[in-house]
Amino acid sequence: MVMPARWGPILAEAVRIAEQAYSPAVHLAYERATQALADDSAYLGRCFDALSVSFEARTLYRLKALADATTASDLSRYRGLIRHGDASAAGRR
C-alpha cells in the first residue's frame, strides 16, 4: 500500500506479467490484501513491525489514508489507524 501511494497505480504490464506467471487471481489477491490492511489496524501494525517500517513512514501512510478517505465509512475506518496507532512504533521515535 505504501508503494502504490508513492509510485501511483500498478502498471498494466506488471499485472499482465504477474497474471501470466501466477494466474488471473493475482489481481483479486492484491485487492484482498490491500483491503485487509485498510480494515484491520492491528494487522497493519504487525505488517509494519515485520517490515521494520519507520515511525515517519507509518505516519505518512496514515495521513495519506486519511487524505484519500472519501466517505464517512472510510473516515471511520481510518480513524482507528490514527487513534490506535501502534505502540511499538511510538517507542522508536
Side-chain angles (χ1 to χ4, degrees):
M1 293 174 66
V2 173
M3 289 185 292
R6 288 181 159 232
W7 299 343
I10 295 176
L11 298 175
E13 180 67 9
V15 172
R16 186 188 64 73
I17 291 168
E19 287 180 344
Q20 284 180 336
Y22 301 104
S23 85
V26 167
H27 184 73
L28 180 59
Y30 174 80
E31 292 298 322
R32 285 182 178 165
T34 56
Q35 193 63 49
L37 292 169
D39 289 344
D40 186 346
S41 62
Y43 177 61
L44 177 63
R46 290 191 306 273
C47 292
F48 280 160
D49 288 342
L51 295 168
S52 300
V53 176
S54 71
F55 176 78
E56 292 79 11
R58 293 171 192 231
T59 302
L60 289 173
Y61 172 80
R62 290 185 170 105
L63 290 172
K64 171 102 171 76
L66 282 171
D68 290 346
T70 57
T71 66
S73 64
D74 286 342
L75 290 172
S76 176
R77 181 173 63 216
Y78 292 121
R79 182 176 41 223
L81 293 176
I82 301 301
R83 183 177 55 232
H84 300 293
D86 28 277
S88 60
R92 291 194 295 245
R93 280 190 243 177

